[in-house]
Amino acid sequence: DEARQVLKEKFADQEKIRQQKVDAARAQLLDLLVNRDNLSAEELEASLNKIKAQNLDDKEIRELIGKVEQKIASMKSSGSANIPLKDQLENAFQNIASSAKSGNSQQAESIIRKTLSLFSGDDAPVLIIISREGSIVDYDKPTTIRRYMDFLKDQKANRNDVDSYQLDANGKIKELDLIKK
């Protein structure tokens, strides 16, 4: 009986350790999926391989690994593998304004369509910070990403920088904060 009890405790301890590893891997995979640190595709892949090397036998972990692999493949195929998301957005906004300024509205519209694919939808909220003092932040009137990019095209100028953004579980931008230059 004592031997069985000792074995039960050992198995329980091993299962507890395994569950802690699974929980840590889940948290890491979710961070990779939303790519908070603006990692390149290669950096994401290196982090993913470290998690895979743990050989955790868990259904949810396998599903998350698959989603991160899809995100990496998407980043590589879109040619944005090494460009952080913040830079992609700022480049797109500047290119929309520049294209419109040079009279090439078709190119501006093409950039808008391509940039919208980074967002969860055309109606993703965009908040523009007009002033910030300590923890007090003052915003301009909220808008959507589609309206904001149309505004850039109409104004032919980009007067804001990307301050922050929030990603959904699919790695798409669900909210964007801009700040006056």
Side-chain angles (χ1 to χ4, degrees):
D1 286 340
E2 286 178 29
R4 264 192 243 135
Q5 186 62 32
V6 168
L7 281 174
K8 281 183 182 179
E9 288 174 6
K10 293 259 188 217
F11 283 126
D13 289 344
Q14 286 178 342
E15 180 57 27
K16 184 178 178 183
I17 291 169
R18 189 191 81 75
Q19 191 58 46
Q20 288 173 340
K21 288 181 179 179
V22 166
D23 292 344
R26 180 183 307 110
Q28 290 173 330
L29 286 165
L30 289 170
D31 284 347
L32 292 177
L33 194 57
V34 297
N35 198 6
R36 280 193 184 102
D37 298 327
N38 274 330
L39 301 175
S40 69
E42 288 75 21
E43 292 168 324
L44 284 174
E45 199 164 27
S47 297
L48 179 63
N49 288 335
K50 288 178 187 174
I51 295 169
K52 283 179 170 180
Q54 295 178 28
N55 292 324
L56 299 171
D57 187 29
D58 185 82
K59 181 182 176 185
E60 185 182 4
I61 297 298
R62 285 190 300 272
E63 290 173 2
L64 286 170
I65 286 173
K67 287 181 180 181
V68 173
E69 287 172 338
Q70 287 176 342
K71 179 179 181 69
I72 292 168
S74 171
M75 287 173 74
K76 287 181 177 179
S77 69
S78 70
S80 61
N82 295 314
I83 304 171
L85 186 56
K86 179 179 178 180
D87 293 342
Q88 289 179 50
L89 290 172
E90 289 181 349
N91 291 342
F93 295 157
Q94 190 57 50
N95 290 338
I96 291 167
S98 298
S99 296
K101 191 172 187 175
S102 67
N104 194 344
S105 61
Q106 286 182 329
Q107 182 179 4
E109 200 55 46
S110 171
I111 297 168
I112 289 172
R113 279 193 302 279
K114 183 179 175 190
T115 305
L116 283 172
S117 69
L118 300 172
F119 289 83
S120 58
D122 289 12
D123 59 347
V126 175
L127 304 171
I128 302 171
I129 300 169
I130 52 179
S131 73
R132 180 185 308 171
E133 286 190 34
S135 62
I136 300 171
V137 180
D138 190 20
Y139 293 96
D140 201 350
K141 180 182 171 191
T143 187
T144 65
I145 187 57
R146 178 67 196 205
R147 286 186 188 143
Y148 178 73
M149 288 192 291
D150 286 339
F151 174 78
L152 288 175
K153 187 173 82 170
D154 294 342
Q155 294 297 308
K156 301 174 176 125
N158 180 23
R159 296 183 182 96
N160 300 309
D161 285 327
V162 174
D163 184 61
S164 65
Y165 51 84
Q166 293 179 13
L167 301 174
D168 63 14
N170 296 320
K172 302 281 187 174
I173 301 169
K174 66 178 181 179
E175 183 178 304
L176 177 66
D177 286 1
L178 303 173
I179 190 163
K180 298 270 185 197
K181 288 184 184 182

